Amino acid sequence: MPASAAPRTPHAPDPADEAPQRRLYRSADGRMLGGVARGLAGHLGLPVVWVRLAFFGLFVWGDGLGVLLYAAFWVFVPLGLGGRSGGRSFHELFETLPDGGRRLRKPARGQITALVALCVGAGIFLSKVQSGGASGRYVWPTLLVGAGVVLVWRQADNARREHWAAGPGGSRRMFQLARACAGIALVGIGLTLFIVVRGSAAQLGNVLTAALAVLAGIALLAGPWLIRMTQDLSEERLMRIRAQERAEVAAHVHDSVLHTLTLIQRNADDAGEVRRLARAQERELRNWLYKPEGTGKEEAEEPATLAEAVKKTAAEVEDHHGVPIEVVVVGDCPLDERLGAQVQAAREAMVNAAKYGGQGGPVQVYAEVEGQTVFVSVRDRGPGFDIDAVPDDRMGVRESIIGRMQRNGGTARLRSAPDGGTEVELEMERAAKAA
Amino acid sequence: MTERYAQADAVGRRVRVVLVDDHRMFRAGVQAEIGDTARTGVEVVGEAADVDQAVTVITATRPEVVLLDVHLPGGGGVEVLRRCAPLTAAAENPVRFLALSVSDAAEDVIGVIRGGARGYVTKTITGADLVDSVFRVQEGDAVFSPRLAGFVLDAFASTDAPPVDEDLDRLTQREREVLRLIARGYAYKEIAKQLFISVKTVESHVSAVLRKLQLSNRHELTRWATARRLV
């Protein structure tokens, strides 16, 4: 059922009123077997427990009618996404009821109750069967076959559910395989027992041979068609994935590259602006193309390592001041407090270099992690200046770079010469625990 | 890097170059930038757009320097290097390769250098610097851009596992210093001044690093290059 049809607000419950067009789905969420009860409950607007009890009652006192009904629902009703939201929202509705609804809030509790009820029912059923005598001989094989079928069918449901849920881990796949094998084995044992119980144990071999022959015939007839169908299906899925990827690339190119190109056309006379735009776009595109899935595509996140922090800082300064900054990073390490300060100092140095030395070509930033020492150099080829000639009240270099480094236990060296460019070298020991 | 070698140096020198790049626009751009033989001393004697064409043109024209794109249809720059190996190793007039690419992903760069290229520059390089690099490669020197120096330092820095061949696989202290200064954007002359050595010594250090990089068969070098997609 559509999620919009199920209100999340806790007003008085009467879901049957507002959803005349809802379709019945089995619930994929919070189910015990096939999700039939939960799906029905969501559809009818009843508590899950009631539906389960009804099935159970039909099973115990209706000579197994409950099982048949359940099985029929399972086979014919599709597993739905809607079942999830419907069941969930109904759950919320129910728990707001004043009369003891709170107790049903935790699904775990409800499941335990149902499980206990199931065990009791099984006990009753078994005692009935034991007294049944002759007919009891068929009960065990039937139960075995039934259990096997349930196992395998639930497996198929899970496979369908993969479309909505995230892909399973390796261990889960193994578990599913084991479950499928167990189900098949149960069915096989049950069928064999059937034959044995019927007293035709002597003809077991003949029956098995005949069955195998029939199976082989079916496989021969339907096999190629089945294979073709699975191949077509997987191919179709591949095409769809490709189309999605292409759409994503197209969207990204449209949002960023075309946008930038338009800006460049508009600013064609302003060489500095064009260069700035082109470099920013290049950087973003590289980031997008080469970064592994899930990283680097969101700009907002804070960098966790030194290399990222230095690159990000350089990119920001570059964008802000329109001077190209070339970054070379050797090695990497996690960012700690002292390194954060070092990156801040480096940022200040980059800003200075961009402001005063940007005419001499790109600013070059080099960061290296070697053992415990982190070294950063920022270098420009601008006019340079005489450090001793800088008045005492100019605090930029003295405080933001040298002072900051010293406060955090590092060193900063500044080399500058008229017409020789400026180079700032920052050295910092990493925090000891990061070793 | 712009005025590293005066343009006047080019007077009287000649170098024959083949351009290998699958983008026609880029070839035209490089041709316009450096192909004015009277001014730069560079003579573009051939162009190629894919691996097969490149091998044919290079074999036919026997240039002194090939400007080689890393990404090419038909196997990439590495494949060209592999198939031209006899020409590269020739005793007289060997063909020398200079990788020139928009890609500066570590595995691409280290790949072509290990394949036998004498250097690597990015496509954002200025025309003057490119001419300069071409002549340096022609003279047998190695051309390391700051970024390439960074990659090489990075590759040789991860020496947690004991090296297979101590002599071959370890950079000397001096080589490391030289690389570090290249990575910081220093020109050869500046490096020489900084380390109180001659420019020739700097060149020989760089060539030694290149040789170690090309001969080193340390498996972690390749693993490093493929495991990271550094930009």
Side-chain angles (χ1 to χ4, degrees):
Chain A
M1 70 201 77
S4 57
R8 296 181 68 87
T9 45
H11 68 71
D14 200 353
D17 261 6
E18 57 193 7
Q21 83 284 39
R22 280 190 303 195
R23 284 195 59 198
L24 177 59
Y25 285 108
R26 285 187 289 118
S27 167
D29 202 38
R31 59 190 188 157
M32 293 186 64
L33 272 177
V36 170
R38 186 168 286 279
L40 261 183
H43 187 67
L44 299 174
L46 294 169
V48 187
V49 182
W50 293 8
V51 181
R52 284 192 177 136
L53 278 178
F55 271 119
F56 186 65
L58 279 174
F59 167 61
V60 174
W61 293 285
D63 281 335
L65 184 61
V67 176
L68 278 181
L69 260 179
Y70 196 97
F73 271 117
W74 196 343
V75 171
F76 290 113
V77 176
L79 189 66
L81 248 190
R84 170 156 45 187
S85 58
R88 173 76 66 210
S89 69
F90 178 72
H91 222 73
E92 281 171 15
L93 282 179
F94 186 70
E95 81 200 12
T96 56
L97 284 177
D99 51 337
R102 283 264 155 225
R103 273 189 328 129
L104 290 168
R105 181 188 195 106
K106 297 187 186 83
R109 181 173 282 240
Q111 285 193 350
I112 289 168
T113 319
L115 206 65
V116 170
L118 200 72
C119 289
V120 172
I124 296 171
F125 179 70
L126 285 182
S127 64
K128 259 175 92 179
V129 159
Q130 232 105 50
S131 61
S135 66
R137 295 196 321 201
Y138 295 111
V139 169
W140 284 110
T142 317
L143 269 183
L144 280 177
V145 171
V149 167
V150 164
L151 269 179
V152 174
W153 268 78
R154 192 165 165 156
Q155 169 90 15
D157 271 0
N158 277 355
R160 269 201 270 172
R161 211 179 143 188
E162 303 291 289
H163 286 286
W164 309 313
S171 61
R172 219 182 124 197
R173 184 158 293 162
M174 281 303 292
F175 172 68
Q176 287 185 348
L177 198 70
R179 209 160 68 169
C181 289
I184 291 166
L186 276 177
V187 172
I189 294 171
L191 287 176
T192 316
L193 272 178
F194 238 137
I195 296 164
V196 173
V197 163
R198 285 202 47 156
S200 51
Q203 292 174 12
L204 183 60
N206 285 344
V207 173
L208 279 182
T209 320
L212 274 179
V214 170
L215 277 180
I218 290 173
L220 275 178
L221 285 173
W225 176 75
L226 272 176
I227 290 169
R228 176 95 42 86
M229 199 168 74
T230 40
Q231 279 173 348
D232 284 356
L233 269 177
S234 63
E235 196 173 323
E236 192 254 15
R237 199 162 60 181
L238 203 69
M239 297 298 277
R240 205 172 52 229
I241 290 170
R242 285 219 184 108
Q244 263 172 15
E245 273 173 358
R246 208 176 305 134
E248 199 189 331
V249 170
H252 185 267
V253 168
H254 179 269
D255 291 350
S256 56
V257 181
L258 288 186
H259 184 66
T260 308
L261 288 177
T262 315
L263 284 177
I264 286 177
Q265 285 174 32
R266 209 169 289 160
N267 293 300
D269 298 332
D270 185 349
E273 179 69 4
V274 167
R275 209 171 295 132
R276 190 186 70 78
L277 284 169
R279 282 189 65 91
Q281 188 54 57
E282 179 197 344
R283 192 171 49 241
E284 198 202 314
L285 202 58
R286 273 184 198 287
N287 214 28
W288 192 75
L289 286 174
Y290 294 127
K291 277 283 174 71
E293 200 65 33
T295 61
K297 302 203 174 178
E298 303 302 327
E299 294 258 335
E301 62 206 47
E302 280 299 302
T305 66
L306 180 86
E308 282 174 42
V310 170
K311 282 178 190 164
K312 186 165 185 269
T313 307
E316 282 166 8
V317 175
E318 185 175 291
D319 281 348
H320 203 257
H321 295 275
V323 172
I325 298 184
E326 287 175 359
V327 184
V328 175
V329 182
V330 173
D332 203 357
C333 68
L335 204 59
D336 59 32
E337 203 175 309
R338 303 164 103 190
L339 298 188
Q342 190 180 17
V343 172
Q344 285 301 313
R347 181 198 197 94
E348 202 60 34
M350 286 181 222
V351 170
N352 280 343
K355 269 196 206 155
Y356 305 115
Q359 289 75 32
V363 174
Q364 259 144 343
V365 176
Y366 173 71
E368 183 182 15
V369 181
E370 197 186 32
Q372 287 295 65
T373 312
V374 177
F375 173 85
V376 178
S377 119
V378 177
R379 172 186 167 82
D380 68 65
R381 294 178 170 277
F385 62 94
D386 186 358
I387 305 158
D388 298 330
V390 175
D392 284 346
D393 60 332
R394 295 282 297 276
M395 303 300 277
V397 169
R398 205 162 281 127
E399 273 310 302
S400 293
I401 300 177
I402 301 175
R404 182 180 270 142
M405 289 301 287
Q406 280 168 355
R407 276 196 299 279
N408 287 280
T411 56
R413 273 189 311 278
L414 207 110
R415 254 208 311 269
S416 186
D419 296 329
T422 305
E423 177 161 23
V424 179
E425 296 177 348
L426 309 169
E427 215 169 310
M428 182 77 85
E429 293 288 316
R430 284 159 65 189
K433 62 178 172 15
Chain B
M1 287 172 65
T2 321
E3 297 302 323
R4 185 175 295 164
Y5 282 67
Q7 285 287 303
D9 283 4
V11 176
R13 297 195 299 176
R14 274 298 183 82
V15 59
R16 301 169 71 242
V17 171
V18 163
L19 293 178
V20 181
D21 194 298
D22 53 334
H23 293 105
R24 205 174 51 80
M25 286 259 287
F26 184 75
R27 289 202 307 272
V30 173
Q31 167 79 278
E33 194 94 1
I34 69 170
D36 178 5
T37 315
R39 183 172 56 86
T40 61
V42 174
E43 185 188 354
V44 178
V45 294
E47 293 184 15
D50 61 33
V51 170
D52 292 333
Q53 230 178 331
V55 175
T56 316
V57 171
I58 292 167
T59 315
T61 57
R62 283 302 293 268
E64 288 152 293
V65 176
V66 176
L67 285 178
L68 181 68
D69 191 11
V70 173
H71 289 288
L72 277 181
V78 178
E79 179 67 15
V80 177
L81 283 162
R82 201 181 59 74
R83 281 161 64 177
C84 289
L87 298 177
T88 318
E92 49 193 69
N93 300 330
V95 178
R96 297 212 158 96
F97 289 84
L98 176 60
L100 172 65
S101 175
V102 73
S103 159
D104 47 10
E107 80 248 35
D108 289 340
V109 177
I110 299 278
V112 283
I113 297 297
R114 279 174 66 83
R118 303 287 303 174
Y120 162 83
V121 291
T122 51
K123 283 183 175 174
T124 50
I125 193 171
T126 62
D129 281 342
L130 185 55
V131 170
D132 177 42
S133 303
V134 166
F135 276 109
R136 269 166 51 194
V137 166
Q138 182 213 12
E139 286 155 11
D141 189 16
V143 175
F144 277 29
S145 66
R147 192 161 299 217
L148 175 56
F151 288 153
V152 174
L153 273 175
D154 215 357
F156 277 98
S158 53
T159 45
D160 296 339
V164 179
D165 183 338
E166 290 276 334
D167 295 336
L168 198 62
D169 286 334
R170 192 161 286 170
L171 297 182
T172 66
Q173 193 57 36
R174 227 17 190 294
E175 286 161 359
R176 204 174 279 271
E177 280 172 58
V178 168
L179 271 192
R180 216 171 261 153
L181 289 172
I182 291 177
R184 283 161 68 174
Y186 280 67
Y188 280 16
K189 265 186 215 164
E190 294 167 319
I191 296 172
K193 216 165 95 185
Q194 179 98 1
L195 298 179
F196 304 106
I197 53 180
S198 72
V199 174
K200 273 272 162 266
T201 316
V202 174
E203 284 176 10
S204 73
H205 281 312
V206 173
S207 293
V209 171
L210 185 76
R211 199 177 55 247
K212 285 183 183 181
L213 188 61
Q214 289 173 349
L215 293 181
S216 161
N217 56 359
R218 267 194 324 178
H219 57 279
E220 68 253 41
L221 198 62
T222 1
R223 211 178 50 205
W224 169 87
T226 44
R228 290 187 200 206
R229 306 210 64 179
L230 291 177
V231 175

